[in-house]
Amino acid sequence: MQPSQFYAGLELDRAAHLRCDAAWLAERLHDGATRLLPVWRSQHLVRMRDGCEPLVLSPIEGKTLIAAREELVFLGERGGAAHFAIDVSGLQASAVRPAEDAELADLRAIGPLLRPGDAATLAYARAMLHWHARHRFCGACGATTRSEHAGHVRRCTASGCGIEHFPRTDPAVIMLVTDGDRCLLGRQARWPQGMVSTLAGFVEPGESLEEAVAREVLEEAGVRLSDVRYVASQPWPFPGSIMLGFFAAAASREIRCDAEELEHAAWYSRDEVASFGEADFSQPMRPGAALRLPPRDSIARFLIDRWLGVR
Ligand SMILES: [Zn+2]
């Protein structure tokens, strides 16, 4: 087994067999052991202390949030405590924060500060509620859908249709392309200043993962591949992907960037990559400063670190 990637390694038992037990689920919303994770417009309730920790509420503490909820998803159990994600996006932000020191924060910003088990729970909650928000209408007939199975199915409400829609995760390939002691890194114009990373792209219908890797690298950087090897995968709830990580060996060296995809791409030696800065995007990039690696919570960084031999 590969070491678990950040945002994987959920510590909850998903307990799928309980998702259709309406009586048990209803009782849990009055059980003092139950833990609620509010999500407000894809942001989580957290407390910044030594690092960052999610703020979970009991049903009594979260009574007004339960009443105002747009969606409720049973995430699973831990130590006999049921955990629910609760979408409270319809409220004002000030109504969501139960305490002075509570903050609403985007997982994209706080991810690396979290304990890995907490990061996995928040990633799961965020991905599920994003899916609900984007599947309110049936893709087959256009009628409204409603949540069932404790938030794990949406069913079309139209008589004569009624099809079930299931939570989806979109596969994307991400690859570190190497040529001997050099690797290919690029940057997209919208990324934080100075950051370079591996290439990546969505898998298209009708192609294998290996074909997707080869196609993306050829499209984005004009480089052909000779060998593609799977390494590890990572849930990536930004907004709803699973990243499938690969090492790939280059069969050609010349880089021709697709300007629509990449602002820049180049071959970098191990020594060069090891000298790159950390991804501290709270600080503006100084002129002439070293390039920056992707954040530590990303599988891109895992692939680079693995290639450098530091992970
Ligand atoms: Zn329908």
Side-chain angles (χ1 to χ4, degrees):
M1 285 281 287
Q2 291 285 345
S4 184
Q5 296 293 315
F6 214 72
Y7 302 122
L10 188 71
E11 293 171 339
L12 303 175
D13 173 358
R14 291 177 185 244
H17 62 289
L18 294 170
R19 291 173 186 166
C20 295
D21 190 336
W24 183 87
L25 291 162
E27 283 172 21
R28 297 288 75 69
L29 291 182
H30 299 283
D31 180 344
T34 291
R35 293 288 169 258
L36 303 172
L37 286 94
V39 180
W40 181 82
R41 302 178 194 179
S42 287
Q43 296 187 48
H44 300 280
L45 203 53
V46 298
R47 188 171 270 148
M48 306 295 279
R49 281 183 178 162
D50 298 329
C52 178
E53 62 182 43
L55 202 59
V56 293
L57 307 177
S58 70
I60 289 176
E61 293 167 325
K63 194 174 172 186
T64 57
L65 302 187
I66 293 175
R69 72 179 185 266
E70 295 185 11
E71 298 295 343
L72 184 75
V73 175
F74 172 57
L75 299 175
E77 279 192 300
R78 189 180 187 200
H83 286 58
F84 293 90
I86 180 167
D87 184 349
V88 291
S89 297
L91 294 173
Q92 294 296 314
S94 57
V96 180
R97 296 167 53 211
E100 279 291 307
D101 60 348
E103 295 178 30
L104 285 164
D106 195 294
L107 189 59
R108 204 73 200 256
I110 60 169
L113 305 176
L114 292 166
R115 198 178 62 79
D118 290 336
T121 305
L122 296 194
Y124 180 25
R126 178 187 164 112
M128 287 298 293
L129 293 181
H130 177 82
W131 170 73
H132 277 284
R134 296 299 168 91
H135 290 80
R136 290 180 175 148
F137 299 93
C138 176
C141 78
T144 55
T145 59
R146 68 164 176 267
S147 177
E148 293 186 355
H149 298 191
H152 291 265
V153 173
R154 290 192 75 87
R155 186 186 298 278
C156 175
T157 57
S159 58
C161 181
I163 63 171
E164 295 175 316
H165 301 270
F166 295 94
R168 54 176 299 158
T169 185
D170 298 326
V173 288
I174 183 162
M175 44 279 174
L176 185 68
V177 180
T178 59
D179 171 36
D181 190 47
R182 305 185 302 168
C183 74
L184 177 64
L185 300 175
R187 66 167 274 111
Q188 297 178 16
R190 62 187 173 86
W191 283 353
Q193 201 178 2
M195 190 180 101
V196 289
S197 189
T198 55
L199 307 189
F202 285 107
V203 180
E204 295 192 349
E207 67 183 353
S208 69
L209 301 180
E210 292 82 357
E211 287 169 334
V213 170
R215 176 183 53 75
E216 283 290 344
V217 174
L218 188 61
E219 284 178 1
E220 293 190 6
V223 171
R224 286 179 288 104
L225 302 180
S226 64
D227 184 43
V228 175
R229 186 162 56 87
Y230 173 77
V231 179
S233 65
Q234 178 188 39
W236 191 246
F238 307 110
S241 291
I242 180 160
M243 305 301 288
L244 304 154
F246 292 82
F247 284 141
S252 66
R253 276 83 193 165
E254 187 191 348
I255 296 170
R256 283 176 285 105
C257 276
D258 175 356
E260 295 282 311
E261 299 271 359
L262 291 178
E263 182 183 73
H264 173 75
W267 295 103
Y268 297 99
S269 72
R270 273 194 171 82
D271 287 346
E272 285 174 306
V273 175
S275 75
F276 289 173
E278 279 297 327
D280 177 7
F281 303 122
S282 62
Q283 301 297 320
M285 187 79 169
R286 297 189 316 279
L291 295 175
R292 292 172 176 180
L293 295 168
R296 289 189 178 278
D297 62 344
S298 65
I299 192 171
R301 179 61 177 272
F302 174 83
L303 293 171
I304 292 169
D305 283 351
R306 175 61 69 90
W307 178 70
L308 289 174
V310 298
R311 231 197 303 189

